[in-house]
């Protein structure tokens, strides 16, 4: 075998292993294995949310907005630097090829 046949064989083996792990292929009636996969006996846990005053909620929202603005600013700076480097590189290549 040559030209990457080992990679293809590895891919086929992984696909077989993944298919064998599907819940539909597991034993359903031996030792009641299906119960662990599709269990509906557990009731969802009740979530407890903190009660926050309007003032505190406003402060939290402002903090989140400030962080979002900073993230946008960082992204703009990053893209600007990237574009600047690309333009300088293109100019350098153009001058070098002349």
């Amino acid at each position: 075998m040559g030209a990457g046949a080992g990679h293809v064989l590895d891919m086929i083996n992984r696909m077989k292993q993944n298919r064998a792990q599907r819940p539909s292929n597991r034993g359903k009636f031996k030792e009641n294995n299906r119960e662990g996969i599709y269990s509906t006996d557990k009731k969802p846990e009740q979530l407890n949310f903190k009660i926050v005053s309007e003032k505190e909620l406003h402060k939290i929202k402002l903090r989140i907005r400030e962080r979002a603005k900073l993230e946008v600013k960082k992204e703009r700076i990053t893209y600007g630097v990237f574009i600047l480097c690309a333009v300088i590189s293109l100019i350098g290549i153009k001058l070098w090829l002349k």
Side-chain angles (χ1 to χ4, degrees):
M1 300 215 149
H7 296 291
V8 174
L9 187 61
D10 183 53
M11 179 189 64
I12 292 170
N13 285 335
R14 286 174 189 260
M15 288 174 60
K16 282 181 188 176
Q17 291 169 355
N18 289 341
R19 252 185 259 120
Q21 292 296 321
R22 289 183 183 160
S24 60
N25 292 340
R26 292 186 198 157
K28 296 173 182 77
F29 303 108
K30 183 179 179 185
E31 300 172 10
N32 203 8
N33 286 338
R34 191 174 181 96
E35 191 173 305
I37 301 171
Y38 303 106
S39 143
T40 57
D41 296 338
K42 296 180 183 176
K43 294 181 181 176
E45 211 175 285
Q46 195 68 14
L47 299 176
N48 296 325
F49 295 106
K50 291 182 180 179
I51 298 173
V52 182
S53 67
E54 288 294 322
K55 232 180 197 182
E56 190 68 26
L57 186 63
H58 184 68
K59 287 180 184 178
I60 292 170
K61 286 181 181 180
L62 285 176
R63 211 175 319 139
I64 291 172
R65 287 181 184 139
E66 286 175 14
R67 286 182 190 165
K69 284 180 185 178
L70 284 175
E71 284 295 317
V72 169
K73 190 183 271 188
K74 286 179 186 177
E75 287 178 6
R76 286 182 181 167
I77 291 171
T78 303
Y79 291 140
V81 168
F82 176 74
I83 291 171
L84 183 65
C85 288
V87 169
I88 291 172
S89 298
L90 289 174
I91 292 172
I93 291 172
K94 188 174 180 179
L95 292 175
W96 183 64
L97 290 177
K98 268 189 173 182

